[in-house]
Amino acid sequence: MKPKDDEKLRAIAEATFALVEQTGLSGLTMAAIAREAGLATGTLYVYFKSKEELMVALYEQAKTTTAASLMHGDDPKAPFRSRFQRMWMNWLDHRLTHYAQVVFLEQYYNSPWFSEESRNLSARLIKGWVDLIESAKAQQILKDVPTVLLINSFGGSVRETANLLRSGALARTDENLAMAFGLCWDGIKA
C-alpha cells in the first residue's frame, strides 16, 4: 500500500477547517472538502473512509496542536500569575493565527462526533494545564471553584479578546492586552 502524502493530508485539513469556518460543520460534505483541497472525491476516501473518520482525525490533530501551544514556553519556576499570563497570550495568539482550526474545534465539541474518546483525549492533552490550576487552587492563588469553571473563564476571556481584536473593536497594543489579561486574572484569582 502506498504511504499517504503529507501534503495531501495538510490540504485536506486546511480545506476542512476553511469550509467549517465559512459554512459550519453541519453542511460539510466530503465532495466539498475534496474540491477545496484540489483532490478528487475518490482520493479523499482513500485517506479517510468516512466523514466521521476525517472529523475524528482532524479533532485529534487540532486539539493536540492547540494544547501544545497553550503550554509553550511555560517556566514552572516562574510565579503563577506570569505563567498564566504567558498561557493566556499563547492561547490568544493561537486563536488569532489558527482561527479556522479553532472554529472547527468549537463546532466539533458541540457535534455528535464529540465522544467519550474525544473527551478522554482532551483530558490527556490538557493534563499539565489542569494540574497547574489544581496546584494554584491548593496554594489559594486561584479561586476554590470547580476547575472547569476556571478553564472556561480563562478560555472565554481569550475568545472574546480575540473577537474584539479580529473585529477591530480593540487595537492590539501591549496596554490593551495587559488590561484584558488583568480582567481575566482578577476573575480567577483567589
Side-chain angles (χ1 to χ4, degrees):
M1 185 166 148
K2 182 179 174 183
K4 294 181 178 174
D5 180 337
D6 288 341
E7 189 58 33
K8 285 182 183 169
L9 286 168
R10 186 194 57 71
I12 291 166
E14 287 180 6
T16 304
F17 297 149
L19 288 170
V20 170
E21 179 185 4
Q22 293 167 15
T23 62
L25 193 59
S26 63
L28 192 64
T29 65
M30 294 292 271
I33 294 167
R35 194 171 33 257
E36 182 77 13
L39 303 171
T41 304
T43 302
L44 180 57
Y45 280 104
V46 168
Y47 285 79
F48 300 97
K49 293 183 181 4
S50 67
K51 183 177 170 183
E52 178 177 1
E53 183 180 306
L54 172 61
M55 295 299 108
V56 169
L58 291 181
Y59 174 76
E60 183 175 331
Q61 173 189 328
K63 190 66 178 182
T64 299
T65 302
T66 300
S69 73
L70 175 65
M71 300 297 286
H72 180 73
D74 179 40
D75 177 4
K77 294 177 184 159
F80 276 106
R81 187 182 194 285
S82 297
R83 293 177 75 187
F84 278 95
Q85 187 166 14
R86 176 181 260 301
M87 290 175 204
W88 189 89
M89 283 301 303
N90 285 349
W91 206 350
L92 179 69
D93 288 340
H94 182 80
R95 186 173 188 90
L96 292 169
T97 57
H98 301 283
Y99 185 73
Q101 184 184 76
V102 172
V103 169
F104 169 83
L105 283 172
E106 289 174 348
Q107 290 197 17
Y108 182 92
Y109 180 80
N110 292 300
S111 78
W113 294 301
F114 191 76
S115 63
E116 192 61 34
E117 188 175 314
S118 301
R119 190 177 320 285
N120 291 338
L121 170 70
S122 181
R124 280 192 312 275
L125 291 172
I126 66 167
K127 184 177 181 338
W129 170 231
V130 171
D131 289 348
L132 177 63
I133 291 171
E134 293 296 333
S135 176
K137 284 171 47 177
Q139 294 178 51
Q140 299 179 341
I141 295 167
L142 295 182
K143 287 180 171 48
D144 188 18
V145 300
T147 299
V148 69
L149 288 176
L150 293 171
I151 291 171
N152 284 339
S153 292
F154 190 90
S157 170
V158 169
R159 182 184 58 249
E160 295 309 316
T161 301
N163 288 343
L164 290 171
L165 294 171
R166 282 178 50 84
S167 72
L170 183 69
R172 185 174 181 147
T173 65
D174 290 344
E175 182 182 15
N176 285 343
L177 295 180
M179 281 190 285
F181 173 73
L183 289 170
C184 174
W185 181 252
D186 289 346
I188 65 173
K189 72 178 180 180

